[in-house]
Amino acid sequence: MAMVTVFKRQWAGLTAPAYALLQGLALGGISAMFEMQYPGIVIQAVGLTFGTLALLLLAYKTWFIKPTENFRLMIFAATGGIAVLYLVCFVMGFFGSSIGFIHSNGLFGIGFNLFVVAIAALNLVLDFDFIEAGAEQGAPKYMEWYGAFSLMVTLVWLYLEILRLLAKLRSR
Amino acid sequence: MGLNELIFGGLAVLGIGVFVFVGRFRANRTQRERADRLRWNAVNKGLSSQKKS
């Protein structure tokens, strides 16, 4: 559903709500599993996710963070690197192997998770700038849905990473 | 309701409130009128498809 939205932006008015519905089901299941293992962890992750969202929006609106070409390049590169690493880890999983430090609760694993949380959070700034630019230039209606979709994808990623980070910290 | 729910639930509600409230306003003028502002291809593509229709 996400891929359809990315490649067919004109359909975002239909595909974005459908994606939200399906993602809600998936997140509900994942959150329930984490909550069973570590009681109280979900509300912590939700609080931290929305706290980060509000803080970064304030920072963006008040010009505290300036998204420039270099900023975008850095975030794109880091996000791409993380995606490739996760993909390699996913494929290695089929052969019963894994990249150890990604899932470890040691200092390196937690440090890596903190880095991923920071990159996910900084992606929100790019989403804000994209939405602001679209509104300013009078982009078509479906771009409203597309902007909301991109914000939702980043928020979901941030929430999952915070959840993983908290679980690692609790399991120590 | 424990302290955990109170603190983090409050943070979530506050965060959503700030997002909804601040989201209604446009960004600072200095933010919008920077010379090194990002150019978004996706927005431009959307605009060109709007012109065609």
Side-chain angles (χ1 to χ4, degrees), chain A residues 16-150:
Chain A
Y19 174 81
L21 205 71
L22 296 171
Q23 189 67 270
L25 286 173
L27 277 189
I30 293 167
S31 300
M33 283 199 299
F34 273 93
E35 186 69 24
M36 271 199 293
Q37 210 169 351
Y38 309 104
I41 197 173
V42 169
I43 190 71
Q44 290 177 346
V46 170
L48 289 173
T49 305
F50 283 116
T52 310
L53 173 76
L55 265 180
L56 281 171
L57 182 65
L58 273 173
Y60 173 77
K61 293 275 184 185
T62 54
W63 198 42
F64 191 71
I65 292 181
K66 290 178 287 179
T68 59
E69 276 302 333
N70 282 340
F71 176 86
R72 176 162 66 175
L73 204 66
M74 189 186 78
I75 299 299
F76 272 17
T79 308
I82 292 165
V84 169
L85 194 66
Y86 279 175
L87 190 71
V88 169
C89 194
F90 178 71
V91 173
M92 280 171 78
F94 288 120
F95 303 100
S97 183
S98 173
I99 304 173
F101 72 87
I102 289 182
H103 305 295
S104 83
N105 61 356
L107 271 184
F108 200 71
I110 289 172
F112 172 75
N113 224 154
L114 268 174
F115 170 74
V116 178
V117 166
I119 295 300
L122 289 175
N123 264 287
L124 285 174
V125 178
L126 290 180
D127 290 329
F128 296 148
D129 198 62
F130 174 71
I131 292 167
E132 187 84 33
E136 215 167 89
Q137 293 169 28
K141 195 79 181 163
Y142 66 82
M143 290 301 281
E144 279 181 8
W145 285 103
Y146 187 72
F149 164 77
S150 63

Side-chain angles (χ1 to χ4, degrees), chain A residues 1-12 14-16 19 146 149:
Chain A
M1 196 58 76
M3 288 297 157
V4 173
T5 315
V6 168
F7 291 109
K8 275 281 174 195
R9 294 193 182 105
Q10 292 85 344
W11 297 356
L14 287 172
T15 53
Y19 174 81
Y146 187 72
F149 164 77

Side-chain angles (χ1 to χ4, degrees), chain A residues 44 60-61 65 136 142, chain B residues 4 25 28 31-32 37 49:
Chain A
Q44 290 177 346
Y60 173 77
K61 293 275 184 185
I65 292 181
E136 215 167 89
Y142 66 82
Chain B
N4 184 46
F25 301 104
N28 192 315
Q31 178 77 283
R32 285 184 278 127
R37 224 184 143 180
S49 71

